[in-house]
């Protein structure tokens, strides 16, 4: 899961349904502030396309999700460049 920690966005909405476990999505608002959303079993989350976000596991260290997308190329992460 380390690859999801870096801030990034996708060209499609990121749609996930949590089957088991839990995680934390940090989503950057349009005002450039972080919004934190914790998800667990039974939750559905939609991160809008082109919206920067990052993902962490909870202390449980386990999540099982179904990802829904129109085209696999839309799931390619575009990482935000770090400020110098």
């Amino acid at each position: 899961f380390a690859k999801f920690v870096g801030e990034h966005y996708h060209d499609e909405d990121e749609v996930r349904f949590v089957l088991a476990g839990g995680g934390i999505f940090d989503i950057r608002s349009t005002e450039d502030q972080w919004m934190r959303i914790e998800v667990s079993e039974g939750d559905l989350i939609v991160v809008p396309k082109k919206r920067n976000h990052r993902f962490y596991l909870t202390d449980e260290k386990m999540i099982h999700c179904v990802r829904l997308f129109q085209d696999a190329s839309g799931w390619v992460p575009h990482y935000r460049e770090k400020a110098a």
Side-chain angles (χ1 to χ4, degrees):
F1 282 99
K3 67 181 180 178
F4 300 114
V5 173
E7 185 177 348
H8 64 282
Y9 69 87
H10 302 280
D11 290 329
E12 286 189 17
D13 290 347
E14 180 168 350
V15 180
R16 290 181 183 261
F17 180 72
V18 183
L19 299 171
I24 297 168
F25 282 87
D26 283 342
I27 304 170
R28 194 172 287 281
S29 74
T30 55
E31 291 81 29
D32 206 30
Q33 301 294 315
W34 284 115
M35 301 176 290
R36 179 159 281 185
I37 301 169
E38 187 168 343
V39 297
S40 59
E41 183 177 335
D43 288 342
L44 174 72
I45 187 168
V46 179
V47 179
K49 67 181 177 181
K50 308 276 187 187
R51 181 64 53 95
N52 283 329
H53 62 282
R54 58 191 178 195
F55 176 80
Y56 302 93
L57 289 172
T58 58
D59 291 340
E60 188 179 1
K61 302 286 188 226
M62 191 280 288
I63 193 166
H64 184 157
C65 295
V66 172
R67 300 186 311 173
L68 306 171
F69 52 89
Q70 293 177 348
D71 183 325
S73 67
W75 282 77
V76 174
H78 302 281
Y79 289 95
R80 184 172 182 169
E81 293 184 25
K82 294 183 181 189

